[in-house]
Amino acid sequence: MGRLQDKVAIVTGSTSGIGIGIAKMFAREGAQVVVCGRRENKGQEVVDAIVAEGGKASFHFHDITDLAATDALIADTVEQYGKLDILVNNAANVALKDGRIDELTVDMWDAIFQSDLRGTFYACKVALPELAKTNGNIVNIGSMASCGGDLGSTAYACAKAGVDMLTKMIALQYGKQNIRCNCVRPGLIVTPQNESKVPDALKQIFLDNIEITRYGSPEDIAGMVTYLASDEASYVTGQIMTCDGGMNAHVPTVAQFRAMASRTW
């Protein structure tokens, strides 16, 4: 406990899922957490839960697609707490319609990039001057979708691949100012908010390919993010950390050969 003691941290998109897990773990580790998102009632519930556990948190409205909202988020945080130590870019709109290249319109492509890449870029840009004052750091939340192609989610995967490279660019360009930047790519994470929406067949596909006996939880990602945000990771920057239970550690045919009780073809 106390790995983030007295740090001021913004966690975007922390009114649901992975973001809630990160915000709560940060608070347990001593950080003052700015919970933010578009749903004030949900955000206040997270703040209340943190405070009930003895942590410190406040809510700030934030729409990742609104540049002025991002300006206000950073400025208001510094005004309220006097500094900014950690920025976690978790907000993204995975509910936006996506598909194959022939199915995507330019408007659909632009909407996904606006939410999932431009919003992350701009939050980093605005936060950097404040992080330079505190030797702070950024943790971006990517996606295993950027690890390889699939049959859909084209724009989402491309946007998240951009987050991977943005992470490396920030680490390279601002490391000499003592700003670190890393990225965590979650695998299948089942949350209280999405569990009823994840079909059992999809869960089984992932379980067949995950190298441990379960799919992931928000706490799994929160643990990795907390480490990267802490001084324990002071020599870690520019890294893309895949937290997926080992799913991307093997060739794509492993699950099928395992079902055949065969080691190879």
Side-chain angles (χ1 to χ4, degrees):
M1 305 298 287
R3 289 184 291 170
L4 304 179
Q5 193 64 43
D6 299 324
K7 302 290 188 182
V8 175
I10 293 173
V11 182
T12 69
S14 47
T15 59
S16 64
I18 290 172
I20 293 177
I22 296 170
K24 288 184 174 180
M25 189 170 290
F26 272 23
R28 288 195 294 269
E29 292 291 345
Q32 300 174 86
V33 183
V34 179
V35 174
C36 50
R38 293 179 295 183
R39 297 177 297 175
E40 183 174 359
N41 58 331
K42 294 293 185 181
Q44 193 58 51
E45 288 177 7
V46 178
V47 170
D48 292 344
I50 289 172
V51 172
E53 293 181 1
K56 299 178 181 179
S58 60
F59 175 77
H60 196 292
F61 174 84
H62 182 235
D63 180 347
I64 193 65
T65 67
D66 183 344
L67 303 186
T70 298
D71 289 333
L73 172 64
I74 304 300
D76 292 349
T77 296
V78 173
E79 181 179 356
Q80 180 175 354
Y81 294 103
K83 63 174 183 170
L84 175 63
D85 297 287
I86 302 162
L87 170 65
V88 178
N89 284 306
N90 172 68
N93 194 342
V94 295
L96 289 170
K97 188 176 181 182
D98 203 343
R100 299 187 345 161
I101 292 173
D102 61 296
E103 297 168 335
L104 284 168
T105 67
V106 171
D107 287 343
M108 291 161 62
W109 176 276
D110 287 347
I112 291 168
F113 266 70
Q114 181 185 40
S115 170
D116 295 359
L117 182 55
R118 190 185 77 158
T120 296
F121 152 74
Y122 192 71
C124 292
K125 176 181 174 65
V126 178
L128 281 167
E130 299 301 331
L131 295 172
K133 300 173 185 177
T134 60
N135 296 338
N137 72 88
I138 298 169
V139 182
N140 294 321
I141 304 301
S143 171
M144 61 176 281
S146 67
C147 297
D150 64 17
L151 300 177
S153 304
T154 305
Y156 176 74
C158 290
K160 286 300 187 179
V163 171
D164 291 355
M165 186 52 67
L166 175 65
T167 297
K168 292 178 180 289
M169 289 294 190
I170 293 170
L172 167 67
Q173 294 172 6
Y174 299 95
K176 298 300 184 183
Q177 297 179 38
N178 292 316
I179 298 174
R180 295 185 299 110
C181 186
N182 293 288
C183 178
V184 176
R185 294 192 298 207
L188 176 65
I189 305 299
V190 176
T191 73
Q193 290 79 27
N194 73 11
E195 184 162 14
S196 64
K197 302 175 184 177
V198 180
D200 289 340
L202 178 59
K203 291 178 184 176
Q204 191 60 52
I205 289 170
F206 276 81
L207 286 173
D208 287 344
N209 286 279
I210 291 170
E211 295 313 303
I212 55 177
T213 57
R214 62 178 178 83
Y215 36 74
S217 70
E219 289 70 30
D220 292 317
I221 306 306
M224 178 68 78
V225 173
T226 299
Y227 164 70
L228 291 173
S230 75
D231 292 340
E232 292 177 6
S234 61
Y235 202 55
V236 180
T237 193
Q239 301 305 302
I240 314 299
M241 316 287 264
T242 301
C243 188
D244 66 352
M247 184 169 177
N248 282 281
H250 60 74
V251 296
T253 52
V254 162
Q256 288 74 26
F257 282 121
R258 181 178 285 138
M260 295 167 58
S262 173
R263 294 184 180 180
T264 184
W265 57 274

